[in-house]
Amino acid sequence: MEQFAICTPEMLTQKAKALYQEEREAYKILNGWFLSREIAADQDQAQNEPHPELRAAGELEAIIEKLPIELSDNAILAGTQRDAFAASYALINPAFRVETFRGYCDPLEVYDYATPSGDVTQERIASMRARAAQSPYVKALNAVYKEYEEYTDEVAFFIE
């Protein structure tokens, strides 16, 4: 097969520019991270697997099966991480300021960044936040944060 039999460099450039424009116009609300946490929580509740690794595998399998996927005609590569992180994540949050950062010491704060839209209602977000608050993970993390609170207050270090 010839090197550019499917797409020429010009076609690739055109598609990349079109995809960039699509994404700037279409993706103002990114709740994929919220949906994945909700799917994982549902799966965790439904399974009775005692091994943490197998529980996590079951959650990942459920996310893969149930998370909505779309692919633009302009995508030259399949896949994106556009909403893999909540807006609270410093590296993608345009409002992030080092001067006000106090670390990631509230594992439920992430739910403050979920955006009600369509069937992702404020009530659904609050419900998921409440479910997460009862998880062994959040309880254990809060205990660690509490123990080291005096050190993380000024972000001498933080726990992630």
Side-chain angles (χ1 to χ4, degrees), residues 9 12 14 27 33 49 61 73 87 104 130 135 145 149 160:
L12 290 175
Q14 184 179 19
Y27 299 108
W33 67 270
E49 173 58 57
E61 182 178 28
D73 289 338
Y104 301 112
S135 72
Y145 291 154
E149 184 176 35
E160 184 173 12

Side-chain angles (χ1 to χ4, degrees), residues 12-22:
L12 290 175
T13 298
Q14 184 179 19
K15 284 184 171 288
K17 287 180 178 180
L19 182 62
Y20 177 79
Q21 191 60 38
E22 275 178 22

Side-chain angles (χ1 to χ4, degrees), residues 21-36:
Q21 191 60 38
E22 275 178 22
E23 296 222 349
R24 290 191 50 94
E25 293 171 4
Y27 299 108
K28 304 293 185 202
I29 296 174
L30 301 173
N31 281 335
W33 67 270
F34 171 80
L35 296 174
S36 68

